[in-house]
Amino acid sequence: MVASRRGSGSITLPSGQTMAIHTRTHEDEDLPHATKKTMADHLRKYESLFTLTPQRMRMIVEAFKDSLELGLKKPEQVVPMIPTFVFGWPSGKESGDFLALDLGGTNLRVCLVTLQGEGKFEMTQTKYRLTEEQKQDEGQKLFDFCAECLKTFVDTNFTDGDGKSLLKPGEMLPLGFTFSYPCVQERIDHGKLIRWTKGFGALNTEGRDVAEMFRRSIQKYKVPVVMTALINDTTGTLIASSYVNPRTKIAVIFGTGCNAAYMENVKDIDKIKDLGIDEKAQMAINCEWGAFDSFEHEHLPRTKYDIIVDETSNKPGEQAFEKLISGRYLGEILRLVICELIDEGVLFLGQETYKLETPYVFETAFLSLMESDPTDELLMIIGIFTHFFAVETTLAERQFFRALAMLIGRRAARLSACGIAAIVSKMGYLDEGCLVGADGSLYNKYPGFAERVHEGLFDVFGEKGRNIITHHAEDGSGVGSAIIAAMTKVRRDAGLYPNV
Ligand code: GLC
C-alpha cells in the first residue's frame, strides 16, 4: 500500500463558496479506477479535438477579418461592429468627479471616480451580487434595482456626518452607465439592446432602448444623476487603458463574456456615412466579436461538447466564438467531457456521480485551480473532486483532468489570439506593434492565459507577432466609463453633441 499524504488549506471561489481542503492521497485501489494507460489513450483523443494548429488559426483570422469588415459596411451583420459615438482618444487631462454604474455579467457595481488629469485617478466603489432571478425577470425591474443601488451609494457618499446632502440644490451628478451587452447606438446616451448575452434573459428588454429604461428608473427613485453616456466594458477598457498608456490600440475582455473594441477611422465605417460625421474623425468600435461565426458555424472548430453547450444554452446558435472562450462556458465544456467518460464506464465506476451531472456545477475557476496545483499528488484536484462532487480520484485521473483543463484553456487563449490578430491585421498594426489592454477573470486569474495568447499571436504572425503585447488593463467599466462621461461633457459644452 502506498503511504498517505496530507495537505490542507482553503480557497474562495468566484461564486462566493469557500472550500476547506483537508486531503490525502490513497492510491490503494478499493474502487475500480481507470488505469494510467486508459487515461493516456483518452487524452490523445481530446488532444486532437481541442488543439488548434497555426495553419487553422490563420484560416480563422482571415474569416474573422472578413466578418469585421462586413460589420463596418452594413448594419445588422453577425459581428455587429457597433459605432459607439466615443470620438477619439482621451487627452489624459480629463478631470472631475464622475459616477459609473457597471452592469456586467456577474455583479452590479457603483463607482465614484475622481479623475485627476495626467492619467491619474482615484476610485471608491460598492459591489452588489445579481441573482439568477434578477437576470431573467422583467427588464424594468433590473433597472429599478440598479437605480436603487445607485441611490444608496449617492446617499452614502454625498452626505456629511449629520446626514445632510453635500449636493447643491438641483445639482446632478454626471454618470457613465456601463452596460456590457450588444446595443446599437444612435448617440452616446442611447442604445437599443440587440440581444442579451452571458446567460441573461430579462424580459421585455431586447429591441428596446435600455438607456431610456434606465432613465425611467432613475426618475422613479429620484436619484440626482444625469446619464451622460451608455458604454460597453470593452470601449471603457480601451479608453481607460489609453488614458494611462497611449500605446494601447485595442481592448479585450476575457471574463464571463469575451469581446473587443478598437479605434476606427470614421471614413472607413461605411454604414454611418449618411450621418455626415467629419471624415477625419475617429470613433471607437465595439466589435461584439463574441458573435463571430454564430448561426452558420462555418469557421470555428466546434467539438460535440461545444455543440451541447450551445444547444442547451438560453440562446442556441448565438455567441459562437464566446462559447468557446469565455469563463461562463469553459468549466461546462470540461464537465461534459467528464460526463461522457462516466457514461462510457471509464471514470468513477461504482461511485455516485450525480453531483457532477448538473449543468454548470463545474466552475471555470476549478480549471484555473487544477492547472495551478503545485503538488506532485495534485492535492488541490483531490480537494475539488471530493469536496464538491464527493468522488474519489486516482493520480492518473487527476493528471488527465489537469491535462484536459490545459487543452480547453489553451484553445480559448489561441482562439482569442485569432480575434486580436484579425484586428491587428485589418488595422495594419503589426509592423509598428501595439499594446492590447486586457481585463476579465480569465485574463487576470487563469494561469498562463496571457502567455498562451502571445504564443498564439506568434503562431499566426511569426516573429512579428511579438510586437503585439497584451497587458492588464485599467478598470474600463469604472474608470473608463468615467473618462468617457468626462469626454462627452467636454463635447457637449463645446456644442459637438450628438455626433458632429
Ligand atoms: C459579452 C457582451 C459584450 C461584452 C462582453 C464582455 O460578449 O455581449 O457586450 O463586452 O460580454 O463583458
Side-chain angles (χ1 to χ4, degrees):
M1 196 175 102
V2 181
S4 291
R5 290 281 300 269
R6 288 170 196 283
S8 62
S10 84
I11 46 173
T12 305
L13 295 167
S15 59
Q17 282 174 292
T18 303
M19 168 173 108
I21 333 167
H22 302 286
T23 52
R24 59 187 186 87
T25 61
H26 59 117
E27 300 300 317
D28 47 335
E29 312 268 325
D30 44 0
L31 286 164
H33 277 292
T35 66
K36 209 167 176 170
K37 159 127 190 3
T38 326
M39 290 330 298
D41 287 346
H42 281 286
L43 189 59
R44 257 197 302 282
K45 183 175 80 195
Y46 296 111
E47 255 162 17
S48 71
L49 279 179
F50 286 101
T51 301
L52 272 177
T53 63
Q55 190 196 11
R56 184 72 200 259
M57 290 175 77
R58 286 192 284 268
M59 286 162 65
I60 295 173
V61 174
E62 282 314 303
F64 215 120
K65 240 167 84 182
D66 291 347
S67 286
L68 301 181
E69 270 156 13
L70 194 64
L72 288 177
K73 266 205 192 86
K74 299 188 201 158
E76 294 173 27
Q77 297 305 299
V78 172
V79 178
M81 301 296 276
I82 300 170
T84 60
F85 296 86
V86 172
F87 290 96
W89 301 104
S91 65
K93 296 197 186 89
E94 289 78 8
S95 58
D97 283 345
F98 296 88
L99 289 169
L101 183 86
D102 170 20
L103 184 65
T106 317
N107 298 309
L108 173 70
R109 205 161 51 115
V110 190
C111 318
L112 171 63
V113 185
T114 306
L115 301 174
Q116 297 159 325
E118 294 162 17
K120 298 210 178 77
F121 58 85
E122 268 176 13
M123 184 165 83
T124 323
Q125 60 172 336
T126 311
K127 264 191 190 177
Y128 307 83
R129 205 171 170 86
L130 290 168
T131 65
E132 252 338 283
E133 294 75 61
Q134 281 173 317
K135 295 181 190 171
Q136 313 301 337
D137 205 348
E138 278 295 319
Q140 194 64 55
K141 274 202 196 161
L142 180 63
F143 293 119
D144 280 357
F145 177 68
C146 294
E148 250 187 288
C149 295
L150 189 59
K151 175 141 177 57
T152 313
F153 185 87
V154 171
D155 288 348
T156 320
N157 286 278
F158 290 87
T159 42
D160 62 15
D162 304 326
K164 254 187 47 217
S165 175
L166 296 172
L167 299 174
K168 294 185 213 95
E171 186 181 350
M172 299 291 240
L173 298 161
L175 168 83
F177 181 23
T178 311
F179 181 78
S180 303
Y181 306 88
C183 290
V184 180
Q185 297 191 270
E186 283 169 9
R187 313 176 296 278
I188 194 158
D189 54 358
H190 159 272
K192 194 166 93 182
L193 178 64
I194 304 177
R195 63 177 78 95
W196 284 116
T197 53
K198 299 181 275 198
F200 272 63
L203 305 170
N204 297 316
T205 320
E206 288 183 340
R208 294 179 63 187
D209 178 2
V210 289
E212 196 44 51
M213 290 177 78
F214 181 48
R215 261 187 218 108
R216 199 174 305 153
S217 299
I218 292 176
Q219 278 159 11
K220 179 169 165 190
Y221 287 89
K222 300 194 172 52
V223 199
V225 300
V226 50
M227 196 193 81
T228 349
L230 183 80
I231 296 148
N232 187 264
D233 51 0
T234 53
T235 318
T237 304
L238 182 70
I239 297 300
S241 297
S242 154
Y243 184 74
V244 294
N245 194 333
R247 276 197 68 213
T248 308
K249 296 275 184 271
I250 300 171
V252 190
I253 301 286
F254 302 108
T256 311
C258 178
N259 186 18
Y262 72 103
M263 196 60 78
E264 186 56 275
N265 302 310
V266 165
K267 70 173 175 32
D268 295 327
I269 317 175
D270 282 2
K271 65 182 175 186
I272 56 165
K273 279 257 151 67
D274 58 331
L275 297 183
I277 302 172
D278 179 0
E279 295 243 312
K280 290 194 288 301
Q282 289 192 305
M283 194 194 285
I285 296 287
N286 162 20
C287 303
E288 286 296 334
W289 78 11
F292 171 62
D293 206 31
S294 292
F295 313 111
E296 302 286 330
H297 305 302
E298 289 172 315
H299 305 292
L300 294 170
R302 296 197 310 160
T303 64
K304 63 175 162 186
Y305 318 101
D306 301 308
I307 295 172
I308 299 175
V309 165
D310 180 36
E311 286 175 355
T312 55
S313 73
N314 70 335
K315 300 276 181 182
E318 296 181 11
Q319 297 298 97
F321 188 57
E322 179 160 277
K323 282 175 179 156
L324 305 185
I325 298 178
S326 83
R328 180 170 168 81
Y329 305 102
L330 298 189
E332 178 63 2
I333 298 172
L334 190 132
R335 190 192 70 84
L336 287 167
V337 175
I338 293 180
C339 284
E340 179 180 72
L341 292 173
I342 295 175
D343 281 352
E344 289 174 0
V346 177
L347 287 175
F348 308 131
L349 261 187
Q351 301 193 56
E352 268 303 342
T353 52
Y354 71 95
K355 287 199 172 174
L356 274 161
E357 280 154 30
T358 312
Y360 290 92
V361 278
F362 208 92
E363 295 188 27
T364 297
F366 291 148
L367 274 68
S368 326
L369 289 169
M370 295 202 297
E371 280 215 54
S372 50
D373 191 335
T375 64
D376 289 344
E377 299 90 343
L378 301 178
L379 296 177
M380 176 68 83
I381 306 184
I382 299 185
I384 292 171
F385 280 87
T386 52
H387 183 90
F388 289 98
F389 307 110
V391 287
E392 300 279 328
T393 52
T394 62
L395 183 59
E397 287 162 346
R398 295 193 292 280
Q399 283 165 339
F400 168 81
F401 295 139
R402 185 182 12 210
L404 196 58
M406 200 268 273
L407 289 174
I408 294 170
R410 187 152 178 261
R411 184 186 66 160
R414 287 169 78 74
L415 284 170
S416 309
C418 293
I420 296 173
I423 298 181
V424 165
S425 152
K426 181 197 163 316
M427 296 305 288
Y429 293 148
L430 187 59
D431 287 331
E432 191 186 327
C434 71
L435 293 183
V436 179
D439 205 355
S441 47
L442 269 190
Y443 188 82
N444 298 333
K445 295 193 184 142
Y446 202 108
F449 193 85
E451 288 75 13
R452 289 170 181 167
V453 172
H454 291 150
E455 187 187 274
L457 287 165
F458 179 83
D459 282 355
V460 172
F461 291 127
E463 196 54 46
K464 279 191 182 168
R466 299 198 199 282
N467 296 347
I468 313 301
I469 302 164
T470 69
H471 67 100
H472 172 62
E474 289 306 326
D475 166 20
S477 310
V479 179
S481 196
I483 301 168
I484 294 172
M487 288 165 73
T488 309
K489 189 167 177 295
V490 172
R491 291 182 64 80
R492 268 180 198 262
D493 293 350
L496 294 173
Y497 170 85
N499 56 16
V500 192

